[in-house]
Amino acid sequence: MKADYKNWMPKGMINGFACAAIICWVVFYVINNFGLITVQTIRSVVSVALLVLWVMLLFMTVWMFLMHRAFSYDGKRQMSKQIIEGVSSYVDIPDGGKCLDVGCGSGALSIACAKRNPNAQIIGIDRWGKEYASFSKNLCESNSVAEGVNNTSFQQGDACKLDFADETFDAVTSNYVYHNIPSKDRQAILLETLRTLKKGGTFAIHDIMSKGKYGDMKAFEKKLKDMGYEDVQLIDTTDGKFMSKWESTWMGLSGSTLLVGTK
């Protein structure tokens, strides 16, 4: 049995855009070859609009296909695997301790942390929304079995309002989750996650922490230090650590940053 972590760029999304591009081209062809619109001016305007839409849909389809290929665990690049293993390397949990993985998806990061910390308990939470319909609690559990780990558990949860008391966990982690949550204050979501971390616990949170999505993260770093956090670091992961600058640019991952440290 082999683990199936799916893909951060779902095939369903690619197929949807591809089908839309095909439909757009068919409508364009029919309009221009079967005389459905007899007024030349109107036909020209509609044709141009359809052609522009077709080009956009085709571009998006190709872009998403290339993203899917780069993220694939079975492909040559395996960027997802590189990122997961990289983030998990910062997660240090004492024997008998507990770690929270926010937005666990298919369980990849939870399982990677479980492998590195076999004497700790990893709890993965996710809302498993329709946007990533192939991800589920059952998938996480089956992947854990496939990987031979027995120190993971998974449950539904809300990153914006965690169902855990303050200082519950010895470590918290997350990967590419919070930027997907509609919010005007993602720093507040970070604080909600860090709220559950014990004094002396470690954190490793990776996301697209651009100013447009997160605001001033250098100021947030200082805020955490002023709150008494022992160590706080912002690490750029687009300089060759997890990906190249070029990859981060064309893949829309510019601003990818690791927030790591100790409370």
Side-chain angles (χ1 to χ4, degrees):
M1 183 179 179
K2 182 181 178 182
D4 180 10
Y5 293 117
K6 302 301 181 181
N7 196 293
W8 295 346
M9 180 56 70
K11 281 186 178 180
M13 191 177 296
I14 301 172
N15 293 338
F17 273 83
C19 288
I22 292 171
I23 292 171
C24 190
W25 179 257
V26 169
V27 173
F28 172 83
Y29 180 84
V30 169
I31 286 176
N32 285 276
N33 289 275
F34 291 92
L36 296 183
I37 300 178
T38 56
V39 180
Q40 177 63 37
T41 303
I42 297 177
R43 185 168 68 247
S44 296
V45 171
V46 172
S47 295
V48 169
L50 285 170
L51 194 59
V52 171
L53 180 59
W54 174 76
V55 170
M56 292 173 62
L57 290 169
L58 187 63
F59 173 83
M60 289 298 296
T61 301
V62 173
W63 176 73
M64 288 188 293
F65 171 78
L66 294 175
M67 289 272 282
H68 185 274
R69 188 171 68 173
F71 286 145
S72 174
Y73 270 68
D74 298 319
K76 183 178 179 180
R77 177 63 180 87
Q78 296 187 341
M79 183 185 287
S80 296
K81 183 178 181 181
Q82 181 182 352
I83 292 173
I84 290 297
E85 291 181 350
V87 175
S88 67
S89 69
Y90 287 88
V91 180
D92 185 22
I93 314 166
D95 289 353
K98 295 192 297 183
C99 171
L100 177 66
D101 177 24
V102 181
C104 58
S106 61
L109 182 54
S110 299
I111 293 168
C113 292
K115 286 183 174 181
R116 289 178 176 274
N117 301 272
N119 297 316
Q121 181 67 27
I122 317 299
I123 300 173
I125 68 161
D126 204 300
R127 73 181 187 89
W128 293 298
K130 62 181 180 180
E131 302 89 343
Y132 289 89
S134 60
F135 293 174
S136 67
K137 178 182 178 181
N138 288 339
L139 176 64
C140 293
E141 292 173 343
S142 64
N143 282 338
S144 291
V145 173
E147 293 285 11
V149 300
N150 57 12
N151 56 327
T152 58
S153 62
F154 303 94
Q155 63 190 64
Q156 197 158 27
D158 181 358
C160 296
K161 190 176 181 181
L162 297 171
D163 191 23
F164 301 102
D166 294 356
E167 301 191 12
T168 298
F169 299 98
D170 300 278
V172 294
T173 189
S174 183
N175 179 59
Y176 281 145
V177 173
Y178 305 141
H179 76 275
N180 289 315
I181 301 174
S183 175
K184 295 181 179 179
D185 188 359
R186 292 189 175 89
Q187 292 184 14
I189 304 176
L190 289 175
L191 290 174
E192 172 63 8
T193 296
L194 294 172
R195 173 187 65 77
T196 67
L197 184 63
K198 292 179 181 178
K199 182 66 176 176
T202 58
F203 55 92
I205 299 171
H206 185 232
D207 201 8
I208 304 174
M209 297 183 183
S210 61
K211 190 169 185 179
K213 296 181 185 300
Y214 271 84
D216 189 344
M217 284 302 292
K218 292 300 292 184
F220 184 74
E221 177 185 8
K222 183 179 182 302
K223 179 178 181 177
L224 291 182
K225 291 178 178 178
D226 291 342
M227 290 171 63
Y229 282 69
E230 293 181 12
D231 180 34
V232 184
Q233 298 179 57
L234 288 168
I235 303 172
D236 182 3
T237 61
T238 69
D239 59 355
K241 188 174 185 65
F242 293 164
M243 68 198 82
S244 67
K245 287 289 186 184
W246 165 241
E247 285 177 321
S248 70
T249 299
W250 77 260
M251 297 178 82
L253 301 175
S254 294
S256 291
T257 303
L258 254 174
L259 175 67
V260 299
T262 305
K263 189 171 184 179

